[in-house]
Amino acid sequence: MSKLWQGDLHGALNAIADDFNSSISFDHKMYKQDIEGSIAHSAMLAEVGIISHDEAAQIAAALKAIRAELENGELVFDFSAEDIHSFVEQELVKRIGDAGKKLHTARSRNDQVALDLRLYLRDEADEIIVLLQELLKVLVQKAEEYSELVMPGYTHLQRAQPVNFGHHLTAYSMSFCRDIERLRDCRRRINRSPLGAGALAGTGFPIDRKMTAELLGCEEVCMNSMDAVSDRDYCVELASCLALIMSHLSRFSEELILWSSWEFKFITLSDSFTTGSSIMPQKKNPDMAELTRGKTGRVYGNLMSLLTVLKGLPLAYNKDMQEDKEAIFDSCKTVKDCLKVFAPMLDSMTAHADNMLRAAQKGFINATDLADYLTAKGMPFRDAYRVSGDIVALCIKENKVLEELPLEKYLEFSDMFAEDLFEAIDLVNCCSKRTSLGGAAPSALKAQLEYIKEFI
Ligand code: ARG
């Protein structure tokens, strides 16, 4: 395909350079947005009298036909085109001639590509928000189901204090809520129109930038033409939001992998979301979680690529910026793929209450509660902490858990102990009394789940 810029002034490109330069292999993904932007641009050109309404109508009809044909397969992308913008414009001119040649009045591919990418990423952000909401729905439902299932909560991967499984799952829900908040915020800055900035300096034609912005559903216009064509902050911001989503999914994956090991056996992931081994018949490998953890690397990498591409670029547009798309497209696709597999994987997992409780019974995770018991009876916390520690040491020596030590032994440490101490260190009670706002008690979890439901 010949170039939009090819003529007497500029001869043909070397074939290898042509291939190197072309971006249609990846920017064809933005065909819808390119067409949408062009329809808005031509409507505006007609409105302000730069082209006739009849020409605008011809342009819009032909662009819509191109879009429909691309979708039904009647028209295929010409991968020898320089980019999606060239392809659509050349196809348009092929169909309607002169009217098509007027479309690019008061526009450059620089503002066009910036617009297309913004519209594309706006859609991606919306889609990812919906997927996060779906995941949250599954998590809320699981948390309700497991709101009384006591398990050890960990710090340093050492058993620390009893929590319930629902509470643990809901910790992740909170991070996914923040991810949605961040995407919504980032979307506001994505959703600005650079159209009309031209190549870099604006135009002398009496265009109406606010009109195109409005037609395209953009909340604002980019206020400086040079910034409009050189700004890719929105890509970096989105890439960063996506990197954080992956960070959350990856940490969650790590726990799912640990929990489904024989060492823990807190959960079983369903057969439909695990794989077998070609040699070891007993295996159920948590591949989906592992892949999610692994794919986090590329999403982090994409963020770094984008930052690095932009570093040191002089204003305004530079061809380096063509490198933005593959990175951000890959991050969007990867996050969507991971979210799509994660929600049903969690939905179909089963939790093993007995194993969680057994694990909770070891490791003296009620030692804090023993100290709290004495503190409530009037002993200063630091002393109570000491006594509780000494009792744990005795239990370790006698190979017992706190619940098994008889009251007489407790009384040797302090006369404040009484029969009710066993109630105080009962694991279920230990968990259910942590009713502070955001705490691990089932009643406190209820408030958290209400917050999330409201948020969704
Ligand atoms: N394919 C280009 C990109 O992705 C479109 C803009 C080209 N502009 C230019 N002046 N060569 O950035």
Side-chain angles (χ1 to χ4, degrees), residues 11 16 37 41 61 65 86 96 113 150 188 204 213 288 302 310 331 338 435 454:
I16 294 169
H41 183 65
S86 312
I96 60 169
V113 70
V150 172
R188 288 175 33 233
M288 312 308 138
N302 290 334
L310 294 172
S331 284
C338 293
T435 53
E454 181 89 1

Side-chain angles (χ1 to χ4, degrees), residues 115-279:
L115 174 74
D116 292 3
L117 188 54
R118 283 174 181 271
L119 297 179
Y120 184 89
L121 296 181
R122 183 178 72 180
D123 290 348
E124 293 288 297
D126 287 343
E127 227 181 284
I128 293 167
I129 288 172
V130 171
L131 289 171
L132 283 166
Q133 285 166 332
E134 302 293 318
L135 177 61
L136 279 170
K137 280 181 206 155
V138 171
L139 278 169
V140 165
Q141 191 214 316
K142 287 278 153 188
E144 275 167 350
E145 190 180 336
Y146 298 131
S147 68
E148 314 233 326
L149 206 174
V150 172
M151 70 180 291
Y154 295 80
T155 62
H156 312 267
L157 204 56
Q158 304 280 322
R159 290 168 188 163
Q161 289 180 342
V163 295
N164 68 67
F165 191 42
H167 188 64
H168 195 133
L169 293 176
T170 303
Y172 285 108
S173 294
M174 294 301 170
S175 55
F176 296 127
C177 286
R178 288 194 300 279
D179 288 328
I180 292 178
E181 274 179 52
R182 262 185 291 274
L183 284 171
R184 285 179 181 155
D185 185 54
C186 167
R187 187 192 192 278
R188 288 175 33 233
R189 277 177 298 280
I190 293 175
N191 198 21
R192 291 176 185 168
S193 172
L195 195 60
L200 76 164
T203 174
F205 285 106
I207 59 169
D208 184 349
R209 292 191 60 203
K210 290 197 173 141
M211 176 183 166
T212 42
E214 207 165 292
L215 286 174
L216 294 164
C218 296
E219 286 157 65
E220 285 174 48
V221 295
C222 303
M223 285 302 289
N224 175 292
S225 62
M226 293 179 80
D227 177 53
V229 293
S230 55
D231 170 27
R232 291 295 182 272
D233 290 5
Y234 56 94
C235 293
V236 175
E237 272 192 64
L238 182 61
S240 155
C241 293
L242 300 180
L244 268 174
I245 294 174
M246 290 307 294
S247 162
H248 301 143
L249 289 175
S250 185
R251 292 178 75 170
F252 203 165
S253 295
E254 171 68 13
E255 297 219 86
L256 295 174
I257 294 161
L258 282 175
W259 290 341
S260 52
S261 71
W262 281 108
E263 281 67 20
F264 280 79
K265 255 302 163 241
F266 285 180
I267 60 160
T268 298
L269 295 173
S270 78
D271 283 359
S272 31
F273 290 92
T274 51
T275 64
S277 154
S278 57
I279 174 169

Side-chain angles (χ1 to χ4, degrees), residues 23 27 83 85 109-110 113 317 319 321-322 325:
S23 55
D27 66 18
D83 51 31
H85 327 294
R109 274 183 300 160
N110 298 349
V113 70
Y317 178 83
K319 194 61 174 253
M321 289 156 88
Q322 181 165 288
K325 287 165 215 67

Side-chain angles (χ1 to χ4, degrees), residues 74 146 150 181 364 373 456:
E74 262 174 67
Y146 298 131
V150 172
E181 274 179 52
F364 303 100
Y373 170 85
I456 299 173

Side-chain angles (χ1 to χ4, degrees), residues 239 242-243 246 295-303 330-331 334-335:
L242 300 180
M246 290 307 294
K295 284 176 189 290
T296 303
R298 63 200 288 159
V299 178
Y300 285 7
N302 290 334
L303 171 61
D330 181 70
S331 284
T334 305
V335 166

